[in-house]
Amino acid sequence: MRHYLDHNATSPVRDEARHTVAAVYSHPAGNPSSMHAEGRAARALLETARRKVAILAGVPARDVVFTSGGSEAISAALRGVADRTPEGRRRIVVSSIEHSAVLEAARAAGAAGFEVVEVPCGPSGRIDAGAFASNIDGRTALACLQAANNETGVLQPVAEVGAVCGAAGVPFLVDAVQAAGKLALDRDGWNADLLALSAHKLGGPQGAGALIVREGTKLAPLIAGGAQERRRRGGTEALAQLAGFGAAAHAIVQELEAESSRLLSLRDRLESGLRNIAPGVRIHGESVPRLPNTTNAAFPGVSGETLVIALDLAGFAVSTGSACASGAVTPSHVIRAMGFDDEEARGAVRISLGWSTTSEAIDELLAALPQLLARATMARR
Amino acid sequence: MTTNPTAVAMSGGVDSSVAAALLARDERPLVGFSMKLIDRLAGESDRYGRCCSPDDFRDARSVADRLGFPHYILDMEDEFRRKVLQPFAEDYAKGRTPSPCLRCNTFVKFDSLWDRARAVGAASVATGHYAILERDPRSGRTQLHAAADPDKDQSYFLFDLSEEQRQRAEFPLGRMTKDGVRALARELGLATADKPESMDLCFVTEGESYRDVLARSGLAPSPAAGEIVDTRGNVLGSHAGVGQFTVGQRRGLGLASAGKLYVIGLDAVSRRVVVGDEAELYSDACTVERVRWIPFDRPNGSLTATVRIRSSHPGAPAVVTDRGDGSAGISFKEPQRAIAPGQAAVFYDGDLVLGGGWISGPTASCVAGSRRIDSSAFLERE
């Protein structure tokens, strides 16, 4: 029996989403852009999904632009804003702990002549709002900050940064991929012009996502084509996946509060267990508010790679912060950006819980760990 | 996992794939590892060495999937750089002919990889090497023998494993022929059955040289100009650094009379490149250091053995005298061409590997030249 504890990588598809996807595929549905009955039926499914995602994001349905996922939403936002930036606004401000989808898109803009500022992060794992805001002024084209970090789960000061962006007239992109489904999204409270979401992180299908675009935001489409998505994104919509996204979003909205507190109590049980087993364990981000489902732990003298492999062999799916293109573990850029050295950055293991996680899984993990840790520690001597 | 698995080092080539398949056929619990040794050197472009490209990892993974055991890719760039690439560069800078494959076995596959494998519960490390390990019931030691297929034998590259390392190593291909391995790979439908053999430095990409790799890694020898001299000390020309030369090199000396001259010695201290004629390539003795004996701690007195002075050398009769200080003297029955400092001399009694040592830097008895030793002469071939 395996236990899946890597929901921040991808969350297993919820029953609601699975049923919806199957239903779409089992009825003849047309192209949402077609005029005929089949096309209209497809359009209706699409708009239902849009409304459900809009409710999750707390925005009007017309602001939801469907994409193939979080990375597309982020690239569409960064490139789209950069393409339409007014004269004199040539700076893109991001945090140093953003997801690589943001960092790489920003660096690509940097190669195209934009000034890219990566705001550093302290050991707490939370970006300092003042340090971030000091880069926001009349020359800034775009600011981008994640709502929650994918590796540590640490919540970032999006409302504070958003307020400064609003005052300076700077478009503000919030990467809410990890936050969605785990805490209430507050687009207006954060003053975000753009919000990136992904379906598969919250129990929807892989290959679906959304960019929430506030009315009036100047944005060139990433994908040229037809009039789909109010001309914000060309290409026939992936109807079944998006319908599944809507179904997952709807399910989450119903239970968000109860589920968050359930996850939080599981995580507390996990972390107190970890401290009992390994008093020297470091839990990254523990001093600041975090997502209720994420534990990023470093065990002294044990590499994250070793622990992830040992746990996998023992039946538990967890992850290290990051993997390179080949699939090998590389030092986490997030833990490094928090000021820790390479060894510490290689030591971190991420355990992320979700809708399918049971308390038995936590108990079994805690029961298996002491032997695995002892063996891994011994091998280093 | 109930029993401790065997770790299989998988390059993505046919040999390690079949080694894994043989163990899987015996229903042994397995866990596969591929080592990423060079990615950081790849830079922005798709530049990968022959042994650890994403394609090779994909091939290794597909073999593991097919055989039904987990497979992981390990980032071992730091270890590879420290334990193989840096010594490789230093050897060149010091005028020695490097032995990267030997070092990779001793210090990476059967040391660093073993450490990682045992940390997750592995009991042994298996590779696709062609060599035979056998426990000698009388001495309790693990003996190393040449492989059954003399064309594929890789025992030369494994002489420097310690008893402890040999005990936990497994070479499932030791009694197989290359044709047999390929046939078995096809029979099992392994994706790697018809992959070409890797014949050159695994970490060098096609179309570049090891010098390019070193330069990219920040390990290029610093220029240290010096003289080109003959064996009598006559100055024949100048050069930009001994690191640019290999003992035995014939071309690229920039000398008018270069046609018949070979590099026969490199002295990093005096920065001299010594050249000579063909007769001066021969020597009947040399010294080896860091000697390792395999079937016993030390021999009683001198022993006669067949000694191979590089991997492509068939072996020559010699008397080996352990000096008790970690070094040994080797006297060949006939003078040997091309005894290159930095290479290993490995001692055999028939198929049994008695031990070996590292040919030491240029000494009076051992200023050896060689014919041009191309890289295939000192590299392990898969």
Side-chain angles (χ1 to χ4, degrees):
Chain A
M1 160 96 184
R2 289 188 62 85
H3 293 296
Y4 185 81
L5 299 167
D6 198 13
H7 283 256
N8 286 13
T10 195
S11 192
V13 176
R14 289 166 177 267
D15 290 343
E16 301 88 339
R18 189 162 47 81
H19 294 319
T20 302
V21 171
V24 172
Y25 279 130
S26 46
H27 296 291
N31 185 320
S33 299
S34 296
M35 294 171 67
H36 43 61
E38 290 81 358
R40 293 195 304 277
R43 167 66 62 182
L45 287 170
L46 186 68
E47 296 312 319
T48 300
R50 195 184 309 281
R51 278 194 298 277
K52 290 175 173 173
V53 171
I55 291 168
L56 176 75
V59 301
R62 64 164 189 274
D63 287 5
V64 176
V65 177
F66 282 129
T67 66
S68 66
S71 289
E72 186 196 317
I74 286 163
S75 264
L78 268 132
R79 289 199 188 196
V81 169
D83 276 2
R84 294 280 161 87
T85 191
E87 200 70 21
R89 288 187 182 266
R90 302 290 292 172
R91 184 194 301 144
I92 293 174
V93 186
V94 301
S95 89
S96 58
I97 56 169
E98 294 302 305
H99 188 274
S100 56
V102 170
L103 291 176
E104 292 304 319
R107 286 166 194 163
F114 281 83
E115 175 201 359
V116 177
V117 177
E118 293 181 17
V119 180
C121 180
S124 75
R126 185 172 166 94
I127 294 288
D128 180 71
F132 196 107
S134 68
N135 295 288
I136 309 291
D137 59 29
R139 286 165 298 168
T140 309
L142 176 69
C144 175
L145 183 60
Q146 59 195 192
N149 184 264
N150 54 311
E151 294 187 24
T152 62
V154 169
L155 307 188
Q156 303 302 329
V158 281
E160 291 93 316
V161 168
V164 175
C165 288
V170 172
F172 182 39
L173 164 65
V174 172
D175 169 7
V177 165
Q178 288 296 344
K182 296 161 194 158
L183 52 82
L185 305 183
D186 185 9
R187 196 264 310 255
D188 291 339
W190 299 343
N191 199 34
D193 301 286
L194 298 151
L195 204 63
L197 302 177
S198 166
H200 76 100
K201 306 286 191 191
L202 45 78
Q206 295 168 347
L211 180 63
I212 311 297
V213 184
R214 184 190 297 282
E215 195 78 357
T217 304
K218 290 193 169 58
L219 190 76
L222 178 66
I223 298 177
Q228 294 92 349
E229 302 299 297
R230 296 160 63 91
R231 293 200 176 279
R232 296 255 191 228
R233 200 263 192 188
T236 298
E237 295 89 345
L239 186 62
Q241 275 101 317
L242 295 172
F245 184 11
H250 182 71
I252 281 166
V253 168
Q254 307 303 310
E255 60 169 44
L256 185 57
E257 221 167 298
E259 178 64 0
S260 283
S261 58
R262 188 185 77 91
L263 292 176
L264 189 58
S265 78
L266 286 180
R267 194 190 70 187
D268 286 347
R269 182 192 190 110
L270 169 67
E271 293 187 357
S272 67
L274 295 180
R275 286 196 183 87
N276 278 335
I277 291 165
V281 68
R282 182 203 302 278
I283 292 172
H284 290 114
E286 64 179 333
S287 66
V288 291
R290 281 182 290 158
L291 291 176
N293 78 316
T294 307
T295 295
N296 187 298
F299 297 87
V302 179
S303 80
E305 173 190 84
T306 292
L307 203 48
V308 168
I309 293 172
L311 281 168
D312 183 35
L313 293 174
F316 300 91
V318 305
S319 81
T320 60
S322 52
C324 77
S326 67
V329 171
T330 51
S332 157
H333 80 274
V334 172
I335 307 300
R336 266 207 301 222
M338 286 161 63
F340 296 101
D341 62 15
D342 260 22
E343 185 166 346
E344 184 87 23
R346 282 182 192 277
V349 173
R350 181 184 69 189
I351 304 167
S352 51
L353 319 180
W355 67 269
S356 62
T357 308
T358 59
S359 57
E360 288 73 32
I362 304 298
D363 292 344
E364 286 181 32
L365 176 71
L366 292 171
L369 260 177
Q371 193 208 340
L372 303 181
L373 283 171
R375 195 173 59 196
T377 313
M378 204 139 73
R380 277 176 65 98
R381 298 218 174 100
Chain B
M1 200 160 286
T2 45
T3 33
N4 292 58
T6 290
V8 190
M10 300 179 76
S11 66
V14 64
D15 290 330
S16 49
S17 300
V18 171
L22 289 172
L23 296 172
R25 201 160 65 174
D26 290 343
E27 296 186 8
R28 297 262 302 272
L30 301 177
V31 51
F33 292 105
S34 294
M35 301 181 289
K36 182 166 76 82
L37 304 175
I38 50 133
D39 193 63
R40 193 174 296 161
L41 313 180
E44 293 292 309
S45 66
D46 291 331
R47 191 187 286 134
Y48 292 93
R50 272 154 245 196
C51 70
C52 28
S53 74
D55 289 349
D56 291 321
F57 293 147
R58 189 197 57 208
D59 290 343
R61 175 70 53 92
S62 88
V63 168
D65 285 346
R66 192 182 169 92
L67 297 173
F69 60 86
H71 169 262
Y72 305 98
I73 296 155
L74 302 177
D75 177 2
M76 299 187 56
E77 289 166 40
D78 289 345
E79 288 102 321
F80 187 71
R81 181 185 168 89
R82 247 182 316 116
K83 295 174 167 187
V84 177
L85 221 45
Q86 279 175 351
F88 181 83
E90 281 161 23
D91 273 343
Y92 268 117
K94 288 179 179 167
R96 295 191 295 243
T97 306
S99 297
C101 303
L102 234 157
R103 292 191 62 89
C104 186
N105 286 334
T106 308
F107 298 111
V108 180
K109 289 180 193 143
F110 295 101
D111 187 69
S112 300
L113 175 63
W114 162 245
D115 281 346
R116 299 211 198 186
R118 132 180 108 135
V120 300
S124 57
V125 174
T127 65
H129 281 110
Y130 289 80
I132 294 170
L133 288 170
E134 251 172 11
R135 193 176 160 83
D136 176 30
R138 278 178 308 161
S139 65
R141 298 174 80 108
T142 308
Q143 299 190 334
L144 175 65
H145 296 263
D149 182 344
D151 291 339
K152 292 302 302 176
D153 173 42
Q154 291 171 310
S155 56
Y156 174 89
F157 293 102
L158 297 160
F159 91 92
D160 212 10
L161 300 185
S162 66
E163 173 64 30
E164 201 193 350
Q165 287 175 310
R166 293 192 302 274
Q167 275 176 16
R168 64 195 180 221
E170 294 192 63
F171 306 135
L173 304 187
R175 297 178 199 282
M176 296 191 67
T177 62
K178 184 76 184 190
D179 289 345
V181 166
R182 288 229 183 252
L184 191 57
R186 277 186 216 111
E187 190 187 313
L188 296 169
L190 299 184
T192 52
D194 294 307
K195 277 182 92 166
E197 306 213 4
S198 63
M199 296 292 276
D200 217 329
L201 282 169
C202 75
F203 53 87
V204 176
T205 313
E206 203 149 341
E208 60 171 15
S209 74
Y210 73 84
R211 289 196 174 86
D212 300 327
V213 176
L214 294 182
R216 209 148 21 83
S217 315
L219 295 171
S222 45
E227 296 167 342
I228 301 177
V229 300
D230 64 20
T231 49
R232 287 170 298 282
N234 299 313
V235 177
L236 306 180
S238 63
H239 65 82
V242 295
Q244 306 294 315
F245 297 87
T246 307
V247 170
Q249 183 173 332
R250 201 172 163 185
R251 291 188 201 125
L253 296 173
L255 301 176
S257 59
K260 289 178 179 148
L261 292 177
Y262 299 80
V263 174
I264 63 165
L266 295 163
D267 186 346
V269 177
S270 66
R271 296 180 179 179
R272 280 184 154 183
V273 174
V274 184
V275 296
D277 62 23
E278 191 177 5
E280 288 167 300
L281 292 174
Y282 284 83
S283 175
D284 63 2
C286 71
T287 298
V288 292
E289 50 194 26
R290 287 172 285 140
V291 173
R292 178 181 301 285
W293 296 102
I294 294 174
F296 35 72
D297 286 337
R298 272 190 63 198
N300 299 319
S302 299
L303 54 77
T304 56
T306 303
V307 175
R308 289 170 64 188
I309 51 171
R310 60 181 161 272
S311 68
S312 61
H313 186 240
V319 174
V320 182
T321 308
D322 189 297
R323 292 176 181 158
D325 60 354
S327 73
I330 301 175
S331 300
F332 291 98
K333 208 165 155 192
E334 307 281 342
Q336 297 299 304
R337 186 176 166 127
I339 307 178
Q343 295 282 280
V346 180
F347 325 140
Y348 290 79
D349 176 7
D351 283 344
L352 179 68
V353 182
L354 299 173
W358 296 88
I359 298 169
S360 53
T363 62
S365 63
C366 194
V367 171
S370 67
R371 68 190 153 80
R372 170 157 177 79
I373 301 175
D374 62 47
S375 53
S376 64
F378 60 86
L379 294 168
E380 193 173 24
R381 297 172 185 197
E382 171 159 301

